[in-house]
CSV table of all heavy atoms in Angstrom, one decimal:
chain,number,residue,atom,x,y,z
A,62,ALA,N,-188.9,96.7,-52.8
A,62,ALA,CA,-188.0,97.8,-53.3
A,62,ALA,C,-186.8,98.2,-52.4
A,62,ALA,O,-186.1,99.1,-52.7
A,62,ALA,CB,-188.8,99.1,-53.6
A,63,VAL,N,-186.6,97.4,-51.4
A,63,VAL,CA,-185.4,97.8,-50.5
A,63,VAL,C,-184.1,97.6,-51.2
A,63,VAL,O,-183.1,98.2,-50.9
A,63,VAL,CB,-185.4,97.0,-49.2
A,63,VAL,CG1,-186.6,97.4,-48.3
A,63,VAL,CG2,-185.3,95.5,-49.4
A,64,CYS,N,-184.0,96.7,-52.2
A,64,CYS,CA,-182.7,96.5,-52.9
A,64,CYS,C,-182.4,97.7,-53.8
A,64,CYS,O,-181.2,97.9,-54.1
A,64,CYS,CB,-182.8,95.2,-53.8
A,64,CYS,SG,-184.1,95.2,-55.0
A,65,VAL,N,-183.3,98.4,-54.3
A,65,VAL,CA,-183.1,99.5,-55.3
A,65,VAL,C,-182.0,100.5,-54.9
A,65,VAL,O,-181.0,100.7,-55.6
A,65,VAL,CB,-184.4,100.2,-55.7
A,65,VAL,CG1,-184.1,101.4,-56.6
A,65,VAL,CG2,-185.4,99.3,-56.3
A,66,PRO,N,-182.1,101.1,-53.7
A,66,PRO,CA,-181.0,102.0,-53.3
A,66,PRO,C,-179.7,101.4,-52.9
A,66,PRO,O,-178.7,102.1,-52.7
A,66,PRO,CB,-181.7,102.8,-52.1
A,66,PRO,CG,-182.7,101.9,-51.6
A,66,PRO,CD,-183.2,101.1,-52.7
A,67,GLU,N,-179.7,100.1,-52.6
A,67,GLU,CA,-178.5,99.4,-52.2
A,67,GLU,C,-177.5,99.1,-53.3
A,67,GLU,O,-176.3,98.9,-53.1
A,67,GLU,CB,-178.9,98.0,-51.6
A,67,GLU,CG,-179.7,98.1,-50.3
A,67,GLU,CD,-179.0,98.9,-49.2
A,67,GLU,OE1,-177.8,98.7,-49.0
A,67,GLU,OE2,-179.7,99.7,-48.6
A,68,CYS,N,-178.0,99.1,-54.6
A,68,CYS,CA,-177.1,98.7,-55.7
A,68,CYS,C,-176.2,99.9,-56.1
A,68,CYS,O,-176.7,100.9,-56.6
A,68,CYS,CB,-178.0,98.3,-56.9
A,68,CYS,SG,-177.0,98.0,-58.4
A,69,PRO,N,-174.9,99.7,-56.0
A,69,PRO,CA,-174.0,100.8,-56.3
A,69,PRO,C,-174.0,101.1,-57.8
A,69,PRO,O,-173.5,102.1,-58.3
A,69,PRO,CB,-172.6,100.2,-55.9
A,69,PRO,CG,-172.9,99.1,-55.0
A,69,PRO,CD,-174.2,98.6,-55.4
A,70,ALA,N,-174.5,100.2,-58.6
A,70,ALA,CA,-174.5,100.3,-60.1
A,70,ALA,C,-175.9,100.9,-60.5
A,70,ALA,O,-176.1,101.0,-61.7
A,70,ALA,CB,-174.2,99.0,-60.7
A,71,GLU,N,-176.8,101.1,-59.6
A,71,GLU,CA,-178.2,101.6,-59.9
A,71,GLU,C,-178.8,100.7,-61.0
A,71,GLU,O,-179.4,101.3,-61.9
A,71,GLU,CB,-178.1,103.1,-60.3
A,71,GLU,CG,-177.7,103.9,-59.1
A,71,GLU,CD,-177.6,105.4,-59.4
A,71,GLU,OE1,-178.1,105.8,-60.4
A,71,GLU,OE2,-177.1,106.2,-58.5
A,72,ALA,N,-178.7,99.4,-60.9
A,72,ALA,CA,-179.1,98.5,-61.9
A,72,ALA,C,-180.5,97.9,-61.7
A,72,ALA,O,-181.0,97.2,-62.6
A,72,ALA,CB,-178.1,97.3,-62.0
A,73,ILE,N,-181.1,98.2,-60.5
A,73,ILE,CA,-182.4,97.6,-60.2
A,73,ILE,C,-183.6,98.6,-60.3
A,73,ILE,O,-183.5,99.7,-59.8
A,73,ILE,CB,-182.4,97.0,-58.8
A,73,ILE,CG1,-181.2,96.0,-58.6
A,73,ILE,CG2,-183.7,96.2,-58.5
A,73,ILE,CD1,-181.0,95.5,-57.2
A,74,PHE,N,-184.6,98.1,-61.0
A,74,PHE,CA,-185.8,99.0,-61.2
A,74,PHE,C,-187.1,98.2,-61.0
A,74,PHE,O,-187.1,96.9,-61.3
A,74,PHE,CB,-185.9,99.5,-62.7
A,74,PHE,CG,-184.7,100.4,-63.0
A,74,PHE,CD1,-183.6,99.9,-63.6
A,74,PHE,CD2,-184.8,101.8,-62.9
A,74,PHE,CE1,-182.5,100.7,-63.9
A,74,PHE,CE2,-183.8,102.6,-63.2
A,74,PHE,CZ,-182.6,102.1,-63.8
A,75,ALA,N,-188.1,98.8,-60.5
A,75,ALA,CA,-189.4,98.2,-60.6
A,75,ALA,C,-189.8,98.0,-62.0
A,75,ALA,O,-189.4,98.8,-62.9
A,75,ALA,CB,-190.5,99.1,-59.9
A,76,GLU,N,-190.5,96.9,-62.3
A,76,GLU,CA,-190.8,96.6,-63.7
A,76,GLU,C,-191.4,97.8,-64.5
A,76,GLU,O,-191.0,98.0,-65.6
A,76,GLU,CB,-191.8,95.4,-63.7
A,76,GLU,CG,-192.0,94.9,-65.2
A,76,GLU,CD,-192.8,93.6,-65.2
A,76,GLU,OE1,-193.2,93.1,-64.1
A,76,GLU,OE2,-193.0,93.1,-66.3
A,77,GLU,N,-192.3,98.5,-63.8
A,77,GLU,CA,-192.9,99.7,-64.5
A,77,GLU,C,-192.0,100.9,-64.7
A,77,GLU,O,-192.3,101.8,-65.4
A,77,GLU,CB,-194.2,100.1,-63.8
A,77,GLU,CG,-194.0,100.5,-62.3
A,77,GLU,CD,-194.2,99.3,-61.3
A,77,GLU,OE1,-193.9,98.2,-61.7
A,77,GLU,OE2,-194.5,99.6,-60.2
A,78,ASP,N,-190.8,100.8,-64.0
A,78,ASP,CA,-189.9,101.9,-64.1
A,78,ASP,C,-188.7,101.6,-64.9
A,78,ASP,O,-187.7,102.4,-65.0
A,78,ASP,CB,-189.4,102.4,-62.7
A,78,ASP,CG,-190.6,102.9,-61.9
A,78,ASP,OD1,-191.5,103.4,-62.5
A,78,ASP,OD2,-190.5,102.9,-60.6
A,79,VAL,N,-188.6,100.4,-65.5
A,79,VAL,CA,-187.4,100.0,-66.3
A,79,VAL,C,-187.3,101.0,-67.5
A,79,VAL,O,-188.3,101.2,-68.2
A,79,VAL,CB,-187.6,98.6,-66.8
A,79,VAL,CG1,-186.4,98.2,-67.8
A,79,VAL,CG2,-187.6,97.6,-65.7
A,80,PRO,N,-186.1,101.6,-67.7
A,80,PRO,CA,-186.0,102.6,-68.7
A,80,PRO,C,-186.2,101.9,-70.1
A,80,PRO,O,-186.0,100.7,-70.3
A,80,PRO,CB,-184.5,103.0,-68.6
A,80,PRO,CG,-184.1,102.6,-67.2
A,80,PRO,CD,-184.9,101.4,-66.8
A,81,PRO,N,-186.6,102.8,-71.1
A,81,PRO,CA,-187.0,102.2,-72.4
A,81,PRO,C,-185.9,101.4,-73.0
A,81,PRO,O,-186.1,100.4,-73.6
A,81,PRO,CB,-187.2,103.5,-73.2
A,81,PRO,CG,-187.6,104.6,-72.2
A,81,PRO,CD,-186.9,104.2,-70.9
A,82,ASP,N,-184.6,101.8,-72.8
A,82,ASP,CA,-183.5,101.0,-73.5
A,82,ASP,C,-183.1,99.8,-72.7
A,82,ASP,O,-182.2,99.1,-73.1
A,82,ASP,CB,-182.3,101.9,-73.7
A,82,ASP,CG,-181.7,102.4,-72.4
A,82,ASP,OD1,-182.3,102.3,-71.3
A,82,ASP,OD2,-180.5,102.8,-72.4
A,83,GLN,N,-183.9,99.5,-71.6
A,83,GLN,CA,-183.5,98.3,-70.8
A,83,GLN,C,-184.7,97.3,-70.7
A,83,GLN,O,-184.7,96.4,-70.0
A,83,GLN,CB,-183.2,98.8,-69.3
A,83,GLN,CG,-182.0,99.7,-69.3
A,83,GLN,CD,-180.7,98.9,-69.5
A,83,GLN,OE1,-180.4,97.9,-68.8
A,83,GLN,NE2,-179.9,99.3,-70.5
A,84,GLN,N,-185.7,97.6,-71.5
A,84,GLN,CA,-186.9,96.8,-71.5
A,84,GLN,C,-186.7,95.3,-71.7
A,84,GLN,O,-187.3,94.4,-71.1
A,84,GLN,CB,-188.0,97.3,-72.5
A,84,GLN,CG,-188.6,98.6,-72.2
A,84,GLN,CD,-189.6,98.5,-71.0
A,84,GLN,OE1,-190.4,97.5,-71.0
A,84,GLN,NE2,-189.6,99.4,-70.1
A,85,HIS,N,-185.7,94.9,-72.5
A,85,HIS,CA,-185.4,93.5,-72.8
A,85,HIS,C,-184.9,92.8,-71.6
A,85,HIS,O,-185.0,91.6,-71.5
A,85,HIS,CB,-184.4,93.4,-73.9
A,85,HIS,CG,-183.2,94.3,-73.8
A,85,HIS,ND1,-183.3,95.7,-73.9
A,85,HIS,CD2,-181.9,94.0,-73.7
A,85,HIS,CE1,-182.1,96.2,-73.7
A,85,HIS,NE2,-181.2,95.3,-73.6
A,86,PHE,N,-184.5,93.5,-70.5
A,86,PHE,CA,-184.0,92.8,-69.3
A,86,PHE,C,-185.2,92.2,-68.5
A,86,PHE,O,-185.0,91.4,-67.7
A,86,PHE,CB,-183.2,93.7,-68.5
A,86,PHE,CG,-181.7,93.7,-69.0
A,86,PHE,CD1,-181.3,94.6,-69.9
A,86,PHE,CD2,-180.8,92.8,-68.5
A,86,PHE,CE1,-180.0,94.6,-70.4
A,86,PHE,CE2,-179.5,92.8,-69.0
A,86,PHE,CZ,-179.1,93.7,-69.9
A,87,ILE,N,-186.4,92.7,-68.7
A,87,ILE,CA,-187.6,92.0,-68.1
A,87,ILE,C,-187.6,90.6,-68.5
A,87,ILE,O,-187.7,89.7,-67.7
A,87,ILE,CB,-188.9,92.8,-68.4
A,87,ILE,CG1,-188.8,94.2,-67.9
A,87,ILE,CG2,-190.1,92.0,-67.9
A,87,ILE,CD1,-190.0,95.1,-68.4
A,88,GLU,N,-187.5,90.3,-69.8
A,88,GLU,CA,-187.5,89.0,-70.4
A,88,GLU,C,-186.2,88.2,-70.0
A,88,GLU,O,-186.3,87.0,-69.6
A,88,GLU,CB,-187.6,89.1,-71.9
A,88,GLU,CG,-187.8,87.7,-72.6
A,88,GLU,CD,-189.0,86.9,-72.0
A,88,GLU,OE1,-190.1,87.6,-71.8
A,88,GLU,OE2,-188.9,85.7,-71.8
A,89,ILE,N,-185.1,88.9,-70.0
A,89,ILE,CA,-183.8,88.2,-69.6
A,89,ILE,C,-183.8,87.7,-68.2
A,89,ILE,O,-183.4,86.6,-67.9
A,89,ILE,CB,-182.6,89.2,-69.8
A,89,ILE,CG1,-182.4,89.4,-71.4
A,89,ILE,CG2,-181.3,88.7,-69.2
A,89,ILE,CD1,-181.4,90.5,-71.7
A,90,ASN,N,-184.4,88.5,-67.2
A,90,ASN,CA,-184.5,88.1,-65.8
A,90,ASN,C,-185.4,86.8,-65.8
A,90,ASN,O,-185.0,85.8,-65.1
A,90,ASN,CB,-185.1,89.1,-64.9
A,90,ASN,CG,-184.1,90.2,-64.4
A,90,ASN,OD1,-183.9,90.3,-63.2
A,90,ASN,ND2,-183.4,90.9,-65.3
A,91,ALA,N,-186.5,86.8,-66.4
A,91,ALA,CA,-187.4,85.7,-66.4
A,91,ALA,C,-186.7,84.4,-67.0
A,91,ALA,O,-186.8,83.3,-66.5
A,91,ALA,CB,-188.7,86.0,-67.1
A,92,GLU,N,-186.1,84.7,-68.1
A,92,GLU,CA,-185.4,83.6,-68.9
A,92,GLU,C,-184.3,82.9,-68.1
A,92,GLU,O,-184.2,81.7,-67.9
A,92,GLU,CB,-184.9,84.1,-70.2
A,92,GLU,CG,-184.1,83.1,-71.0
A,92,GLU,CD,-183.3,83.9,-72.1
A,92,GLU,OE1,-183.8,84.8,-72.7
A,92,GLU,OE2,-182.1,83.5,-72.3
A,93,LEU,N,-183.4,83.8,-67.5
A,93,LEU,CA,-182.3,83.2,-66.8
A,93,LEU,C,-182.7,82.6,-65.4
A,93,LEU,O,-181.9,81.8,-64.9
A,93,LEU,CB,-181.2,84.3,-66.6
A,93,LEU,CG,-180.6,84.8,-67.9
A,93,LEU,CD1,-179.5,85.9,-67.6
A,93,LEU,CD2,-179.9,83.6,-68.6
A,94,CYS,N,-183.8,83.0,-64.9
A,94,CYS,CA,-184.3,82.5,-63.7
A,94,CYS,C,-184.5,80.9,-63.8
A,94,CYS,O,-184.3,80.2,-62.9
A,94,CYS,CB,-185.7,83.1,-63.4
A,94,CYS,SG,-186.3,82.6,-61.8
A,95,ALA,N,-184.8,80.5,-65.1
A,95,ALA,CA,-185.0,79.1,-65.3
A,95,ALA,C,-183.7,78.4,-65.7
A,95,ALA,O,-183.7,77.1,-65.9
A,95,ALA,CB,-186.0,78.9,-66.4
A,96,SER,N,-182.6,79.1,-65.8
A,96,SER,CA,-181.3,78.5,-66.2
A,96,SER,C,-180.6,77.7,-65.0
A,96,SER,O,-180.6,78.2,-63.9
A,96,SER,CB,-180.4,79.6,-66.7
A,96,SER,OG,-179.1,79.1,-66.8
A,97,ASP,N,-180.1,76.6,-65.3
A,97,ASP,CA,-179.3,75.9,-64.3
A,97,ASP,C,-178.1,76.6,-63.9
A,97,ASP,O,-177.5,76.3,-62.9
A,97,ASP,CB,-178.9,74.5,-64.9
A,97,ASP,CG,-180.1,73.5,-64.9
A,97,ASP,OD1,-181.1,73.8,-64.3
A,97,ASP,OD2,-180.0,72.5,-65.7
A,98,ASN,N,-177.6,77.5,-64.7
A,98,ASN,CA,-176.4,78.3,-64.3
A,98,ASN,C,-176.7,79.4,-63.3
A,98,ASN,O,-175.7,80.1,-62.9
A,98,ASN,CB,-175.8,78.9,-65.6
A,98,ASN,CG,-175.3,77.9,-66.5
A,98,ASN,OD1,-174.9,76.8,-66.1
A,98,ASN,ND2,-175.3,78.2,-67.8
A,99,TYR,N,-177.9,79.6,-63.0
A,99,TYR,CA,-178.3,80.7,-62.1
A,99,TYR,C,-178.8,80.1,-60.8
A,99,TYR,O,-179.9,79.4,-60.8
A,99,TYR,CB,-179.3,81.7,-62.7
A,99,TYR,CG,-178.6,82.7,-63.6
A,99,TYR,CD1,-178.0,82.2,-64.8
A,99,TYR,CD2,-178.4,84.0,-63.3
A,99,TYR,CE1,-177.2,83.1,-65.6
A,99,TYR,CE2,-177.7,84.9,-64.1
A,99,TYR,CZ,-177.1,84.4,-65.3
A,99,TYR,OH,-176.4,85.3,-66.0
A,100,LYS,N,-178.1,80.3,-59.7
A,100,LYS,CA,-178.5,79.7,-58.4
A,100,LYS,C,-178.8,80.8,-57.4
A,100,LYS,O,-178.2,81.9,-57.4
A,100,LYS,CB,-177.3,78.9,-57.8
A,100,LYS,CG,-176.7,77.9,-58.8
A,100,LYS,CD,-177.5,76.6,-58.9
A,100,LYS,CE,-176.8,75.5,-59.6
A,100,LYS,NZ,-177.7,74.6,-60.2
A,101,THR,N,-179.7,80.5,-56.5
A,101,THR,CA,-180.1,81.4,-55.4
A,101,THR,C,-178.9,81.9,-54.6
A,101,THR,O,-178.0,81.1,-54.2
A,101,THR,CB,-181.1,80.7,-54.4
A,101,THR,OG1,-182.3,80.4,-55.2
A,101,THR,CG2,-181.5,81.6,-53.3
A,102,ILE,N,-178.8,83.2,-54.4
A,102,ILE,CA,-177.8,83.8,-53.6
A,102,ILE,C,-178.4,84.6,-52.5
A,102,ILE,O,-179.3,85.4,-52.8
A,102,ILE,CB,-176.8,84.6,-54.4
A,102,ILE,CG1,-175.8,85.4,-53.5
A,102,ILE,CG2,-177.5,85.6,-55.4
A,102,ILE,CD1,-174.6,86.1,-54.3
A,103,THR,N,-178.0,84.4,-51.2
A,103,THR,CA,-178.6,85.1,-50.1
A,103,THR,C,-177.7,85.9,-49.3
A,103,THR,O,-178.1,86.7,-48.4
A,103,THR,CB,-179.3,84.1,-49.2
A,103,THR,OG1,-178.3,83.2,-48.7
A,103,THR,CG2,-180.4,83.3,-49.9
A,104,LYS,N,-176.4,85.8,-49.6
A,104,LYS,CA,-175.4,86.5,-48.8
A,104,LYS,C,-174.5,87.3,-49.7
A,104,LYS,O,-174.0,86.8,-50.8
A,104,LYS,CB,-174.5,85.6,-48.0
A,104,LYS,CG,-175.2,85.0,-46.8
A,104,LYS,CD,-174.4,85.1,-45.5
A,104,LYS,CE,-175.0,84.6,-44.3
A,104,LYS,NZ,-176.4,84.5,-44.2
A,105,ARG,N,-174.2,88.5,-49.3
A,105,ARG,CA,-173.3,89.4,-50.1
A,105,ARG,C,-171.9,88.7,-50.2
A,105,ARG,O,-171.4,88.0,-49.3
A,105,ARG,CB,-173.2,90.7,-49.3
A,105,ARG,CG,-172.4,91.7,-50.0
A,105,ARG,CD,-172.4,92.9,-49.0
A,105,ARG,NE,-171.6,94.0,-49.6
A,105,ARG,CZ,-171.5,95.2,-49.0
A,105,ARG,NH1,-172.1,95.4,-47.9
A,105,ARG,NH2,-170.8,96.1,-49.5
A,106,LYS,N,-171.3,88.9,-51.4
A,106,LYS,CA,-169.9,88.4,-51.5
A,106,LYS,C,-169.1,89.5,-52.2
A,106,LYS,O,-169.7,90.6,-52.6
A,106,LYS,CB,-169.9,87.1,-52.3
A,106,LYS,CG,-170.5,87.3,-53.7
A,106,LYS,CD,-170.8,85.9,-54.3
A,106,LYS,CE,-169.7,85.4,-55.1
A,106,LYS,NZ,-170.1,84.2,-55.9
A,107,ALA,N,-167.8,89.3,-52.4
A,107,ALA,CA,-167.0,90.3,-53.1
A,107,ALA,C,-167.5,90.6,-54.5
A,107,ALA,O,-167.9,89.6,-55.2
A,107,ALA,CB,-165.5,89.9,-53.1
A,108,PRO,N,-167.5,91.8,-55.0
A,108,PRO,CA,-167.9,92.1,-56.4
A,108,PRO,C,-166.9,91.5,-57.3
A,108,PRO,O,-165.8,91.0,-56.9
A,108,PRO,CB,-167.9,93.6,-56.5
A,108,PRO,CG,-167.2,94.1,-55.3
A,108,PRO,CD,-167.1,93.0,-54.2
A,109,LEU,N,-167.2,91.5,-58.6
A,109,LEU,CA,-166.2,91.0,-59.6
A,109,LEU,C,-165.0,91.9,-59.6
A,109,LEU,O,-165.1,93.1,-59.2
A,109,LEU,CB,-166.9,90.9,-61.0
A,109,LEU,CG,-167.9,89.8,-61.1
A,109,LEU,CD1,-168.7,89.9,-62.4
A,109,LEU,CD2,-167.3,88.4,-61.0
A,110,PRO,N,-163.8,91.4,-59.9
A,110,PRO,CA,-162.6,92.1,-59.7
A,110,PRO,C,-162.5,93.5,-60.3
A,110,PRO,O,-162.0,94.4,-59.7
A,110,PRO,CB,-161.5,91.2,-60.4
A,110,PRO,CG,-162.1,89.9,-60.4
A,110,PRO,CD,-163.6,90.0,-60.5
A,111,ASP,N,-163.1,93.7,-61.5
A,111,ASP,CA,-163.0,95.0,-62.1
A,111,ASP,C,-164.3,95.8,-62.1
A,111,ASP,O,-164.6,96.6,-63.0
A,111,ASP,CB,-162.5,94.9,-63.6
A,111,ASP,CG,-161.1,94.3,-63.7
A,111,ASP,OD1,-160.3,94.6,-62.8
A,111,ASP,OD2,-160.8,93.5,-64.6
A,112,ALA,N,-165.1,95.5,-61.0
A,112,ALA,CA,-166.5,96.0,-61.0
A,112,ALA,C,-166.5,97.5,-61.1
A,112,ALA,O,-167.3,98.1,-61.8
A,112,ALA,CB,-167.1,95.6,-59.6
A,113,ASP,N,-165.6,98.2,-60.4
A,113,ASP,CA,-165.6,99.7,-60.4
A,113,ASP,C,-165.3,100.2,-61.8
A,113,ASP,O,-165.8,101.3,-62.2
A,113,ASP,CB,-164.7,100.3,-59.4
A,113,ASP,CG,-165.2,100.1,-57.9
A,113,ASP,OD1,-166.4,99.7,-57.8
A,113,ASP,OD2,-164.4,100.2,-57.0
A,114,GLU,N,-164.4,99.5,-62.5
A,114,GLU,CA,-164.1,99.9,-63.9
A,114,GLU,C,-165.3,99.7,-64.9
A,114,GLU,O,-165.5,100.5,-65.8
A,114,GLU,CB,-163.0,99.0,-64.4
A,114,GLU,CG,-161.7,99.7,-64.7
A,114,GLU,CD,-160.6,98.8,-65.0
A,114,GLU,OE1,-160.5,98.2,-66.1
A,114,GLU,OE2,-159.8,98.5,-64.0
A,115,TRP,N,-166.1,98.7,-64.6
A,115,TRP,CA,-167.2,98.4,-65.5
A,115,TRP,C,-168.4,99.1,-65.2
A,115,TRP,O,-169.3,99.2,-66.0
A,115,TRP,CB,-167.4,96.9,-65.6
A,115,TRP,CG,-166.4,96.1,-66.4
A,115,TRP,CD1,-165.3,95.5,-65.9
A,115,TRP,CD2,-166.4,96.0,-67.8
A,115,TRP,NE1,-164.6,94.9,-66.9
A,115,TRP,CE2,-165.2,95.2,-68.1
A,115,TRP,CE3,-167.2,96.4,-68.8
A,115,TRP,CZ2,-164.9,94.9,-69.4
A,115,TRP,CZ3,-166.9,96.1,-70.1
A,115,TRP,CH2,-165.7,95.4,-70.4
A,116,ASN,N,-168.5,99.6,-64.0
A,116,ASN,CA,-169.7,100.3,-63.5
A,116,ASN,C,-169.9,101.6,-64.4
A,116,ASN,O,-169.1,102.5,-64.5
A,116,ASN,CB,-169.5,100.8,-62.1
A,116,ASN,CG,-170.8,101.4,-61.5
A,116,ASN,OD1,-171.8,101.5,-62.1
A,116,ASN,ND2,-170.7,101.8,-60.2
A,117,GLY,N,-171.1,101.6,-65.1
A,117,GLY,CA,-171.4,102.7,-66.0
A,117,GLY,C,-171.0,102.5,-67.4
A,117,GLY,O,-171.4,103.4,-68.3
A,118,LYS,N,-170.2,101.5,-67.8
A,118,LYS,CA,-169.9,101.3,-69.2
A,118,LYS,C,-171.1,100.9,-70.0
A,118,LYS,O,-171.9,100.1,-69.5
A,118,LYS,CB,-168.8,100.2,-69.3
A,118,LYS,CG,-167.4,100.6,-68.8
A,118,LYS,CD,-166.4,100.4,-70.0
A,118,LYS,CE,-165.1,101.1,-69.6
A,118,LYS,NZ,-164.3,100.3,-68.8
A,119,PRO,N,-171.2,101.5,-71.2
A,119,PRO,CA,-172.4,101.1,-72.0
A,119,PRO,C,-172.2,99.8,-72.8
A,119,PRO,O,-171.1,99.3,-72.8
A,119,PRO,CB,-172.4,102.3,-73.1
A,119,PRO,CG,-171.0,102.7,-73.2
A,119,PRO,CD,-170.3,102.5,-71.8
A,120,ASP,N,-173.3,99.3,-73.3
A,120,ASP,CA,-173.3,98.1,-74.1
A,120,ASP,C,-172.6,96.9,-73.5
A,120,ASP,O,-171.7,96.2,-74.1
A,120,ASP,CB,-172.6,98.4,-75.5
A,120,ASP,CG,-173.2,99.6,-76.2
A,120,ASP,OD1,-174.5,99.7,-76.1
A,120,ASP,OD2,-172.5,100.4,-76.8
A,121,LYS,N,-173.0,96.5,-72.3
A,121,LYS,CA,-172.5,95.4,-71.6
A,121,LYS,C,-173.2,94.1,-71.9
A,121,LYS,O,-172.8,93.0,-71.5
A,121,LYS,CB,-172.4,95.6,-70.1
A,121,LYS,CG,-171.4,96.7,-69.7
A,121,LYS,CD,-171.0,96.6,-68.3
A,121,LYS,CE,-172.0,97.3,-67.4
A,121,LYS,NZ,-171.6,97.2,-65.9
Side-chain angles (χ1 to χ4, degrees):
V63 295
C64 58
V65 173
E67 296 300 318
C68 176
E71 297 180 8
I73 307 174
F74 296 89
E76 185 171 5
E77 58 270 25
D78 296 333
V79 174
D82 67 342
Q83 297 288 304
Q84 288 286 322
H85 46 297
F86 277 88
I87 297 170
E88 188 55 40
I89 289 171
N90 277 240
E92 175 197 320
L93 294 179
C94 186
S96 163
D97 286 341
N98 293 331
Y99 281 68
K100 308 277 191 208
T101 298
I102 174 173
T103 59
K104 287 230 179 335
R105 184 180 180 177
K106 59 196 268 189
L109 290 172
D111 297 324
D113 289 345
E114 245 170 77
W115 285 98
N116 187 359
K118 286 241 167 79
D120 302 325
K121 293 199 279 182

